[in-house]
Amino acid sequence: MAVAATGGGKDKKSPTESSGRSPSPSLSLPSELPSLPSGLPSVVPSLPTDLPTGLVPSDLQSLFPSLADDEVPYYMLRKGDCFDTDDSLPGQAAKRRCTQPHDAEVVKVSELNGTYTTDAALKKAASALCKAPLERKAAGQAAGTVRDTVVQYPDTGGYKTGIDKVACSLAADVGKGTHKLTGPLK
């Protein structure tokens, strides 16, 4: 039983007193439901069979460039990933096991913040993000192991579409192929 307190000093029963039972709703559906219009087709139309051939390639994958299984866009790299570079595929990295010869290893992945309207501005900002982490990591490597750095960042078109990752990597002789890293960085 619900009791409501009033200002008169006495307890009295609330006008919404409960008997302890929940009211049971009554559901009733209207007896006259509207019917569907009679003029609707009973079969879904199919595409015409006399379309000219060659408009749409039968293999849609041919419209997209294919990457080798180990190649990824640089912005998908993570700290500790080892990879090879290829000047003919800018923005791509061929992932490698760090225990096998490779060109570079990612030291840090950062995000650009701000407004950049030129590739030069993006390059400057990316280099600034990478400078300190690369210097610290390089200082801990054996002499002659690391000879280069790789800073990968988006161009202005990529940045405008939301690609804001910067991959900061230490490397062997990138592009020369005469020296490779042979193990993970320390």
Side-chain angles (χ1 to χ4, degrees):
M1 183 181 305
V3 177
T6 62
K10 291 177 63 187
D11 285 343
K12 65 181 196 180
K13 291 184 180 178
S14 163
T16 58
E17 182 177 304
S18 171
S19 65
R21 289 183 305 161
S22 299
S24 40
S26 68
L27 297 175
S28 62
L29 296 175
S31 59
E32 292 295 321
L33 290 175
S35 60
L36 293 173
S38 60
L40 293 177
S42 60
V43 178
V44 177
S46 62
L47 292 174
T49 57
D50 59 344
L51 289 175
T53 60
L55 290 179
V56 178
S58 59
D59 178 19
L60 290 178
Q61 291 292 359
S62 67
L63 295 176
F64 303 100
S66 62
L67 300 173
D69 288 340
D70 58 356
E71 290 179 6
V72 296
Y74 86 86
Y75 53 83
M76 293 182 72
L77 292 171
R78 294 196 161 116
K79 180 180 177 180
D81 283 348
C82 294
F83 63 95
D84 283 339
T85 61
D86 184 345
D87 290 339
S88 69
L89 295 170
Q92 299 297 321
K95 289 178 79 172
R96 301 288 182 250
R97 281 190 270 164
C98 292
T99 55
Q100 295 182 336
H102 55 279
D103 291 335
E105 181 178 331
V106 179
V107 171
K108 183 174 184 173
V109 176
S110 295
E111 290 183 6
L112 290 162
N113 292 308
T115 303
Y116 304 99
T117 56
T118 65
D119 290 340
L122 282 163
K123 180 179 181 178
K124 183 178 179 181
S127 295
L129 283 172
C130 291
K131 184 176 177 20
L134 290 177
E135 285 176 352
R136 277 193 304 274
K137 192 70 167 183
Q141 305 309 307
T145 306
V146 175
R147 300 179 182 178
D148 211 346
T149 62
V150 177
V151 175
Q152 296 166 299
Y153 57 96
D155 62 11
T156 52
Y159 190 67
K160 287 177 184 174
T161 63
I163 299 171
D164 61 357
K165 299 278 190 231
V166 175
C168 311
S169 305
L170 288 178
D173 292 327
V174 175
K176 297 175 187 144
T178 57
H179 178 71
K180 294 273 192 178
L181 299 175
T182 57
L185 297 173
K186 298 185 181 352

